[in-house]
Amino acid sequence: MLLSATTENYLKAIYKLNAQTTIVTTNNIALALGTTAPSATDMIKKLALNKLITHTKYRGVGLTAKGNKAALTIIRRHRLWELFLNKVLGFKWDEVHQMAEQLEHVSVPELIERIDQYLGYPKFDPHGDPIPDAMGKIAKHQYQSLLNENSGSLATIVAVTNDDVRFLKQLEKLNLTIGTKITILAKHDFDNAMEIKPMRKPAVTISEALAKNILIQLN
Amino acid sequence: MLLSATTENYLKAIYKLNAQTTIVTTNNIALALGTTAPSATDMIKKLALNKLITHTKYRGVGLTAKGNKAALTIIRRHRLWELFLNKVLGFKWDEVHQMAEQLEHVSVPELIERIDQYLGYPKFDPHGDPIPDAMGKIAKHQYQSLLNENSGSLATIVAVTNDDVRFLKQLEKLNLTIGTKITILAKHDFDNAMEIKPMRKPAVTISEALAKNILIQLN
DNA sequence: AAATAAATTTAGACTAATCTAAAACATTTT
DNA sequence: AAAATGTTTTAGATTAGTCTAAATTTATTT
Ligand SMILES: [Mn+2]
Ligand SMILES: [Mn+2]
Ligand SMILES: [Mn+2]
Ligand SMILES: [Mn+2]
């Protein structure tokens, strides 16, 4: 069963919403894809017909095992391409997402496997997100948001939860990239701004919006 | 102006037919793309409307300067991807065409330029076809078909004019790959079969169908 | 120069994906 | 428990691309 790029994008969106929210609703999906509720409803019907999702009218959708597998295949392609573009072709971590949005729909299994092999079967993409293996197995990381951590902690930045170019460029400027060891100097109650010191780099103050999208692991 | 994959395929087909035949007809196009004449007519109308081709009813089509440039962009992508898949990811020359058929529609200019740079601005793809440069300039090779050459000649195989996997696999088995120096031992008048000796390899007999699709340059 | 054949275009219909406007259903407020 | 609000679905259109069948135009025979 070969899926259209549009169908793949819906599946991917549903998969991601599934991890974020309790129930995946029509409006959620429409918003995530920048489309309208009626369009989402139409696609939901088609996906349900193809047994990729379950759907109870007015009550939201859920992925079937088949749909989950399909979504992971697309995410695998996306993240492997991102890493390939970064590691092999030298693109920056803020450039690779947009390109991967197109490349993820190229459907040639041998190509993806070869890229995986070329990269040495990597576990994470340039943003710290886990890459599903050929069987669709994915390391469910449950890192915590920097925003939930308290002053005084020592931690390492392991991933980011936003692909926005502006966000990634800003992090880079602040020396807050994947793998960086940091010390949390302070957290301001009023606006949730945080003072962070990346190892061997000057301390910086970051907003709640920024901190929320940075995932860390305590040292 | 962004073109759909379908539109790009039509443009590419028209470009190639233009080089092969005197007039590019509706049926030619339909046949080349495995579609029907009415479908081709519809697309012809749209391409003409967008000033990518010229069209006189019942009289065939021709590319405009704009259409020619667009076609070359697609061919550039296709051939650069083919070489990249071959040289970097190690795919065989009979495997790369099908993959490039999908990758050629990924439209990210910086990606193609980076691949070009990575490969060292190559002039030819794995089948000996010239790669248009970023300005759309292409080395119009006017190599001759092996079929038109006479017994006794010494030549080098420089390109092939068919992407069929079976054709390419057969050539490989016969040691008749790009760059191979050959001696034409004999040409049989009855069926146009030819006896060819690749340097340092055993002599082989090839059919007219094979010889026709092999391009050579005399030494 | 007709008649016949072949190529091309038009007519009309279909699917996938999208939209706006309206109806139906669900939730929240009063 | 009504009323108001919000969400989801349906209705009806639109666009891109495709098809078969029929009409039109061009080319080839006779
Ligand atoms: Mn991404
Ligand atoms: Mn990523
Ligand atoms: Mn090719
Ligand atoms: Mn080629």
Side-chain angles (χ1 to χ4, degrees):
Chain A
M1 157 226 26
L2 56 212
L3 308 171
S4 71
T6 307
T7 304
E8 291 190 339
N9 284 335
Y10 271 92
L11 275 177
K12 194 169 56 131
I14 293 169
Y15 178 92
K16 291 193 172 176
L17 288 169
N18 212 28
Q20 286 169 23
T21 62
T22 31
I23 43 162
V24 180
T25 69
T26 302
N27 264 353
N28 284 166
I29 299 169
L31 193 71
L33 291 171
T35 183
T36 63
S39 299
T41 298
D42 283 348
M43 181 58 86
I44 285 169
K45 281 181 187 161
K46 203 173 65 176
L47 292 173
L49 203 72
N50 288 75
K51 309 271 186 231
L52 290 160
I53 62 172
T54 55
H55 180 224
T56 333
K57 264 194 177 181
Y58 296 99
R59 283 282 129 84
V61 305
L63 287 168
T64 62
K66 187 182 168 195
N68 202 266
K69 186 77 187 296
L72 284 168
T73 299
I74 302 152
I75 289 169
R76 171 171 164 77
R77 290 190 209 134
H78 181 99
R79 294 181 180 166
L80 277 173
W81 273 117
E82 281 191 347
L83 194 64
F84 188 80
L85 293 170
N86 179 241
K87 282 278 151 57
V88 181
L89 291 178
F91 284 105
K92 285 185 274 175
W93 77 332
D94 60 276
E95 298 177 303
V96 297
H97 177 74
Q98 275 310 312
M99 298 183 191
E101 283 294 307
Q102 286 191 49
L103 289 162
E104 70 185 6
H105 302 297
V106 172
S107 179
V108 185
E110 314 91 72
L111 175 53
I112 287 300
E113 299 321 313
R114 192 67 67 95
I115 288 173
D116 196 17
Q117 177 195 327
Y118 189 91
L119 293 170
Y121 306 101
K123 291 269 184 295
F124 300 96
D125 84 357
H127 311 105
D129 289 311
I131 299 171
D133 71 16
M135 303 308 295
K137 238 191 114 195
I138 185 170
K140 276 238 176 62
H141 68 194
Q142 49 220 33
Y143 304 140
Q144 54 190 313
S145 170
L146 173 54
L147 189 65
N148 302 324
E149 200 45 52
N150 297 315
S151 166
S153 302
L154 291 165
T156 305
I157 297 176
V158 289
V160 293
T161 56
N162 197 309
D163 290 308
D164 193 302
V165 178
R166 296 165 302 177
F167 168 69
L168 298 172
K169 270 188 170 5
Q170 198 175 344
L171 283 196
E172 201 152 81
K173 195 161 279 174
L174 297 169
N175 295 301
L176 298 175
T177 49
I178 307 284
T180 305
K181 288 188 201 307
I182 59 170
T183 309
I184 303 173
L185 300 178
K187 187 168 177 183
H188 303 294
D189 283 349
F190 177 65
D191 62 354
N192 285 319
M194 298 179 84
E195 277 172 48
I196 306 295
K197 176 156 190 334
M199 197 175 250
R200 272 184 286 276
K201 301 282 178 177
V204 293
T205 304
I206 61 174
S207 69
E208 174 174 6
L210 228 55
K212 189 177 59 186
N213 286 297
I214 299 172
L215 298 188
I216 58 160
Q217 204 168 24
L218 292 177
N219 291 349
Chain B
M1 156 225 28
L2 55 215
L3 307 171
S4 71
T6 307
T7 304
E8 291 189 340
N9 284 335
Y10 271 93
L11 276 175
K12 194 170 56 135
I14 293 169
Y15 178 93
K16 291 193 171 176
L17 289 169
N18 212 28
Q20 287 170 22
T21 60
T22 30
I23 42 162
V24 180
T25 69
T26 302
N27 263 352
N28 283 166
I29 298 169
L31 192 71
L33 291 170
T35 183
T36 62
S39 298
T41 299
D42 284 348
M43 181 57 87
I44 285 168
K45 281 181 189 162
K46 202 173 65 175
L47 292 174
L49 203 72
N50 287 45
K51 309 268 187 235
L52 290 160
I53 62 172
T54 55
H55 179 225
T56 334
K57 265 193 175 183
Y58 296 98
R59 283 281 128 82
V61 304
L63 287 167
T64 62
K66 187 182 167 194
N68 202 267
K69 186 75 188 298
L72 284 168
T73 298
I74 302 152
I75 288 169
R76 171 171 164 78
R77 289 190 211 134
H78 181 99
R79 293 181 181 168
L80 277 173
W81 273 117
E82 280 190 347
L83 194 64
F84 188 79
L85 294 171
N86 179 240
K87 281 277 149 59
V88 180
L89 291 177
F91 285 104
K92 286 185 276 178
W93 78 333
D94 59 277
E95 298 177 303
V96 298
H97 177 74
Q98 275 310 311
M99 298 184 192
E101 284 294 307
Q102 286 191 48
L103 290 162
E104 71 186 4
H105 303 298
V106 172
S107 178
V108 185
E110 315 90 71
L111 175 53
I112 287 300
E113 298 322 313
R114 193 65 68 93
I115 289 174
D116 196 18
Q117 176 195 330
Y118 189 90
L119 294 171
Y121 307 101
K123 293 267 183 295
F124 300 97
D125 84 358
H127 312 104
D129 289 311
I131 300 171
D133 71 15
M135 304 307 297
K137 239 189 116 197
I138 186 170
K140 277 240 175 59
H141 68 195
Q142 49 220 31
Y143 304 140
Q144 55 189 315
S145 171
L146 173 56
L147 190 64
N148 301 325
E149 200 45 52
N150 296 317
S151 168
S153 303
L154 292 165
T156 304
I157 297 177
V158 289
V160 292
T161 55
N162 197 308
D163 290 308
D164 193 301
V165 178
R166 296 165 301 177
F167 169 69
L168 299 172
K169 270 187 171 2
Q170 196 175 345
L171 283 196
E172 201 151 82
K173 195 161 282 174
L174 298 169
N175 295 302
L176 298 175
T177 50
I178 307 285
T180 304
K181 289 187 200 309
I182 58 169
T183 309
I184 302 172
L185 300 178
K187 187 167 178 183
H188 302 294
D189 284 348
F190 176 64
D191 63 354
N192 285 320
M194 299 178 83
E195 277 173 47
I196 306 295
K197 174 150 190 342
M199 197 174 251
R200 271 185 288 275
K201 301 282 178 177
V204 293
T205 305
I206 62 175
S207 69
E208 172 173 9
L210 228 54
K212 189 177 60 185
N213 287 297
I214 299 172
L215 298 189
I216 58 160
Q217 205 168 24
L218 292 177
N219 291 351

